[in-house]
Amino acid sequence: MGGCIFCRIVRREIPAQIDQESSQTLAFHDIHPQAPLHVLIVPKEHLSSILDLGKRHSEVLGEMVAVAQKIACREGVDQSGFRLVFNCGPDAGQAVDHLHLHLLAKRKLAWPPG
Ligand code: 5GP
Ligand code: ZN
């Protein structure tokens, strides 16, 4: 997926504020943060959305969640709270067609979301 913006970040072709890398994931700060802490955790492999996930992706999905947990604990929001979000498709406002897990924290997050 040559033109995919998140693939390009994974390949370090365009800059991003990278938080950490694991064997199958990259975590970087959102360019338009919606909360004081807003990190995107993406698989290095191009997957368009949650709909692309199959049984063989259980490991990478687990790794994405583990990275989110690690960042939340490191940032001290494990007790105050945080939100993990996968947007999928137009009604959810998915703007980048490369699977990504949003980690949002450090402010009170409304529910239900808009
Ligand atoms: P979505 O709406 O698809 O769930 O979220 C896409 C997110 O990617 C948005 O929050 C948007 O701000 C972020 N984003 C889009 N382009 C870039 C970029 O080039 N760099 C970074 N770091 N974030 C981006
Ligand atoms: Zn991609």
Side-chain angles (χ1 to χ4, degrees):
M1 289 300 285
C4 168
I5 197 151
F6 289 176
C7 282
R8 296 190 68 199
I9 288 174
V10 167
R11 292 196 299 265
R12 311 297 204 272
E13 288 173 5
I14 58 172
Q17 195 187 333
I18 292 171
D19 181 286
Q20 61 186 274
E21 183 171 13
S22 68
S23 61
Q24 296 190 65
T25 77
L26 187 71
F28 52 91
H29 290 266
D30 197 291
I31 203 164
H32 296 303
Q34 300 302 312
L37 179 66
H38 188 174
V39 176
L40 302 172
I41 301 147
V42 309
K44 291 180 180 173
E45 177 188 356
H46 180 87
L47 299 163
S48 295
S49 78
I50 203 95
L51 295 173
D52 271 2
L53 289 171
K55 257 191 169 165
R56 76 180 180 91
H57 298 112
S58 55
E59 198 174 314
V60 67
L61 193 55
E63 211 169 288
M64 290 168 75
V65 173
V67 168
Q69 184 193 77
K70 190 171 157 190
I71 296 171
C73 291
R74 184 199 70 207
E75 292 292 323
V77 297
D78 48 322
Q79 298 303 310
S80 54
F82 58 94
R83 186 168 294 164
L84 300 182
V85 176
F86 284 111
N87 289 321
C88 184
D91 277 2
Q94 184 180 359
V96 178
D97 289 335
H98 180 128
L99 180 66
H100 49 282
L101 178 60
H102 294 260
L103 166 58
L104 298 141
K106 298 197 178 181
R107 72 169 169 85
K108 187 84 180 163
L109 296 161
W111 192 264

